[in-house]
Amino acid sequence: MPQIEIDGLVLNVDEDGFIEDPTIWNEEIAKALAKTEGVTELTEDHWKVVNYIRNYYLQYQIAPMIRKLCKDTGFSLKEIYELFPSGPAKGACKIAGLPKPTGCV
Amino acid sequence: MNAPQKAKDLAPLPYRILDDEEKVRKAVAIIREKAAESRMFKLAMECCTKCGACINACHSYLGTEDPYNIPTKRADLVRSVYKQEIMPLSGVLGKVAGGIGVSAELLEKWFTYFYQCNQCRRCALVCPFGIDTAEVSIMVRQILAELGMVPRFTVGIVKNMANTGNNMGIAKPALLDSCEFLEEEMYEETGIKIRIPVDEEADIMYVPSSADFFVNTNTMIGVAKMYHAAGIKWTIPSEIIEAANFGLFFDEKVMKEHNRRLLDCAKKLKAKKIVQGECGHGWRAARMYTDGLNGPVDVEIRHIHEEAAYFIARGIIKVDPEKNGDIVYTYHDPCNLARAGDIIEEPRFILRHVVKNFVEMTPNREENFCCGAGSGLLMEEIMETRMKLGKVKAEQVKKTGADYVVAPCSICKAQLPLVFEYYNLPVEMSGLMDLVGKAIIL
């Protein structure tokens, strides 16, 4: 199993760099994962998106529809891409500790 | 060479990872079996005269410029083994006749190149002997699966399908939440209560793509509005919100299991008609292989574009092309609709009614080029290859001068925006039902 080390934090990740065990997620891990997705600092806006995705995942075991994510957080898709350059599915979901969304996406 | 990552754990596939020696032995045994039972395979292996018609027909070769991606040359990776093992003079002529034995190294080459083939069938269209190299590709991926060589991405999808009935892994509570949200969205937009009924008994069982509940929400909305306007009772089955059937690409057992689930759900919901949503290969699998593998099938299997074209032609729904604006639209034929499922004129008929400006790309219909992700080549780790596979498509789109590409297949929908960005094409993209949804008069 691949491991990554960020600021002294060692994480077991899958081949795409998503944490292997979503249940170990915490804010420190989010901060570490953010660095792998080109997000140097998690601002309040970032947390709004990350926490929304995280809570949705805890309730439904899947990422929310992008459209719902935008509506419920008040960010446009463009703004989400500004916050997470690799996009909601890859960047934001990874930082929120979800498995990588798969399928035809 | 850029190959997908291989899965280290194959569950729930009924295969195991073999060591090199076992792999070689088993590969030879399977090739012997296939040669004995499949006329298609024999024809593909024995009839090619190297006329070269498939060379420039293949976007994979044109994009990668790798000779192993010439359809006949790719097939030679297997043909050489066939000649060595099956042809009567193999023991005598061996390499002279182009025969070589299987080795672990050769199997790696199979894995690389048969996962750079999009199984688009454009080579089959031009082959004077009717050799369908996509079928060879499907067969070789099947052999590779039995040797334990399957992409990690593909196994992940099979696992999600087994657990939840869709590729993304959406369980019923999430589906219900998503449907409720989309109903609210439609109410906000139209002031009308339009439903997306889940697991209700209905004549029509609609099978969306699970990606419609993540990124392509307007496709789902278009379908819901259409059935609402047509006044027809319909439902989606929570146990299979997946038109895609990845089994077609690499494993017959997976394909058959998907079909079984499809038919079981139709029975449970007392559906008379299964309507497949916007997915290319899934249409081929449902239409062409359900009866053969799981039949006899006593339910009608239709495509959503057949439904929409019928409703428009009969005046059952009304559409206003003004609502889709003045922009110029072009249409990308998903390979499995145009070369394997005869959904060619329906989408064009619909488009001419729902938009004002529609231009064809060249070539089109059954001659159209693949988006570059066909056969499930959506793995992130082969992005560089995917962009090369999408090169011809990008050139085609650029030449149309269109602002907007209509691509009614979830694989195309996942691939094309990345291709357009990579080749700096400022074009938008969506499915076709999305535009029906916008143009419809409620």
Side-chain angles (χ1 to χ4, degrees):
Chain A
M1 190 181 295
Q3 282 188 331
I4 50 165
E5 189 185 333
I6 309 145
D7 301 338
L9 194 63
V10 179
L11 295 171
N12 290 329
V13 294
D14 68 11
E15 285 82 347
D16 295 309
F18 283 60
I19 50 171
E20 197 70 41
D21 177 7
T23 61
I24 63 159
W25 185 87
N26 59 34
E27 293 197 359
E28 287 310 304
I29 292 176
K31 283 178 196 162
L33 292 168
K35 290 186 180 160
T36 68
E37 288 299 316
V39 181
T40 45
E41 198 201 335
L42 286 170
T43 64
E44 202 179 312
D45 285 352
H46 286 100
W47 281 116
K48 198 173 172 188
V49 174
V50 167
N51 285 327
Y52 180 83
I53 293 176
R54 184 74 198 168
N55 290 332
Y56 194 91
Y57 175 73
L58 289 177
Q59 191 173 355
Y60 293 111
Q61 290 79 53
I62 193 88
M65 291 193 293
I66 306 294
R67 185 181 184 130
K68 191 168 160 78
L69 168 71
C70 291
K71 184 143 189 176
D72 290 354
T73 59
F75 294 117
S76 68
L77 188 56
K78 191 167 165 274
E79 286 165 336
I80 294 205
Y81 269 94
E82 279 161 11
L83 290 169
F84 303 94
S86 50
K90 189 167 174 277
C93 284
K94 184 198 266 187
I95 297 168
L98 273 62
K100 188 172 192 280
T102 190
C104 301
V105 294
Chain B
M1 287 215 302
N2 192 202
Q5 289 166 0
K6 285 192 212 84
K8 295 188 184 100
D9 174 11
L10 297 179
L13 289 169
Y15 310 120
R16 62 184 180 87
I17 292 166
L18 307 179
D19 65 36
D20 284 354
E21 206 177 300
E22 280 180 298
K23 273 184 198 162
V24 168
R25 211 170 36 235
K26 194 160 182 188
V28 172
I30 302 174
I31 290 217
R32 286 184 182 281
E33 261 171 50
K34 302 280 184 203
E37 73 188 24
S38 170
R39 187 172 174 274
M40 180 285 298
F41 184 51
K42 282 178 82 168
L43 180 134
M45 292 297 102
E46 294 181 19
C47 291
C48 177
T49 61
K50 295 286 177 288
C51 74
C54 58
I55 300 174
N56 291 319
C58 177
H59 68 284
S60 173
Y61 171 62
L62 295 174
T64 61
E65 295 180 28
D66 185 328
Y68 283 113
N69 280 326
I70 292 170
T72 183
K73 182 94 175 141
R74 191 190 294 109
D76 276 354
L77 293 171
V78 184
R79 205 174 270 125
S80 56
V81 175
Y82 182 94
K83 285 192 173 178
Q84 179 73 13
E85 302 293 336
I86 310 290
M87 298 292 269
L89 285 176
S90 61
V92 186
L93 295 176
K95 277 189 180 151
V96 181
I100 56 166
V102 184
S103 62
E105 198 191 357
L106 182 70
L107 294 175
E108 288 300 327
K109 232 172 182 173
W110 287 10
F111 190 78
T112 298
Y113 288 105
F114 285 99
Y115 279 98
Q116 287 186 17
C117 164
N118 290 117
Q119 302 178 347
C120 82
R121 308 186 85 211
R122 205 169 183 277
C123 52
L125 188 71
V126 299
C127 177
F129 294 98
I131 297 172
D132 186 345
T133 310
E135 287 293 337
V136 176
S137 171
I138 289 170
M139 186 171 279
V140 175
R141 288 195 196 176
Q142 176 79 66
I143 298 172
L144 289 167
E146 290 172 36
L147 305 180
M149 299 164 78
V150 188
R152 186 173 64 94
F153 173 79
T154 311
V155 173
I157 280 179
V158 173
K159 215 180 269 179
N160 279 348
M161 190 68 209
N163 291 338
T164 60
N166 63 82
N167 290 357
M168 289 202 69
I170 303 170
K172 189 169 178 180
L175 172 68
L176 293 175
D177 178 69
S178 294
C179 289
E180 194 187 321
F181 174 75
L182 293 178
E183 287 173 351
E184 283 163 17
E185 290 280 274
M186 288 189 280
Y187 184 70
E188 227 171 78
E189 183 204 334
T190 64
I192 300 170
K193 289 200 165 151
I194 299 166
R195 297 188 59 226
I196 302 178
V198 177
D199 292 339
E200 295 180 12
E201 284 185 10
D203 285 353
I204 289 175
M205 181 178 96
Y206 175 69
V207 186
S209 163
S210 58
D212 297 355
F213 294 100
F214 187 57
V215 275
N216 307 317
T217 37
N218 279 333
T219 304
M220 190 65 245
I221 282 181
V223 172
K225 284 182 177 175
M226 181 183 83
Y227 280 123
H228 175 87
I232 288 175
K233 193 159 162 47
W234 66 295
T235 195
I236 57 175
S238 66
E239 286 172 46
I240 184 163
I241 49 163
E242 193 58 80
N245 185 343
F246 270 45
L248 174 69
F249 304 139
F250 85 106
D251 187 70
E252 200 175 284
K253 289 193 191 84
V254 171
M255 176 157 67
K256 192 174 174 181
E257 171 57 18
H258 181 109
N259 293 343
R260 184 201 58 76
R261 201 185 260 263
L262 191 69
L263 295 174
D264 283 358
C265 283
K267 206 171 189 180
K268 207 188 282 182
L269 299 171
K270 299 192 167 51
K272 295 195 178 97
K273 182 152 74 172
I274 294 170
V275 177
Q276 286 280 119
E278 290 196 349
C279 169
H281 78 277
W283 169 242
R284 181 181 183 194
R287 183 85 179 107
M288 303 298 184
Y289 295 95
T290 312
D291 197 45
L293 279 178
N294 307 66
V297 170
D298 54 5
V299 58
E300 198 182 345
I301 299 177
R302 289 285 163 203
H303 190 274
I304 190 67
H305 294 168
E306 292 180 291
E307 295 273 278
Y310 178 83
F311 292 151
I312 292 171
R314 290 293 167 96
I316 296 168
I317 63 166
K318 301 264 185 284
V319 285
D320 176 8
E322 285 290 340
K323 293 192 182 176
N324 281 314
D326 292 320
I327 53 179
V328 179
Y329 294 84
T330 190
Y331 181 69
H332 161 73
D333 288 88
C335 307
N336 280 292
L337 295 190
R339 274 187 293 273
D342 199 26
I343 301 291
I344 296 174
E345 296 308 325
E346 293 85 347
R348 289 176 166 78
F349 176 85
I350 298 165
L351 254 183
R352 289 195 193 95
H353 283 81
V354 299
V355 306
K356 289 197 291 183
N357 307 310
F358 163 48
V359 294
E360 288 281 6
M361 65 174 78
T362 309
N364 57 54
R365 294 179 167 83
E366 72 277 9
E367 291 180 7
N368 191 39
F369 283 100
C370 175
C371 68
S375 77
L377 299 192
L378 286 168
M379 304 88 180
E380 185 126 356
E381 67 269 21
I382 57 162
M383 195 55 86
E384 198 189 326
T385 303
R386 282 170 58 187
M387 292 305 106
K388 287 179 184 171
L389 298 179
K391 183 169 172 262
V392 177
K393 178 84 295 163
E395 287 163 0
Q396 265 191 295
V397 169
K398 194 174 181 183
K399 278 186 198 149
T400 63
D403 313 299
Y404 198 112
V405 177
V406 180
C409 159
S410 290
I411 287 181
C412 308
K413 287 172 188 172
Q415 162 87 345
L416 288 175
L418 304 179
V419 168
F420 297 156
E421 196 186 333
Y422 185 84
Y423 291 100
N424 296 314
L425 294 178
V427 288
E428 279 188 70
M429 183 231 56
S430 78
L432 176 56
M433 293 311 294
D434 310 44
L435 301 178
V436 172
K438 283 183 185 139
I440 203 158
I441 301 166
L442 294 164

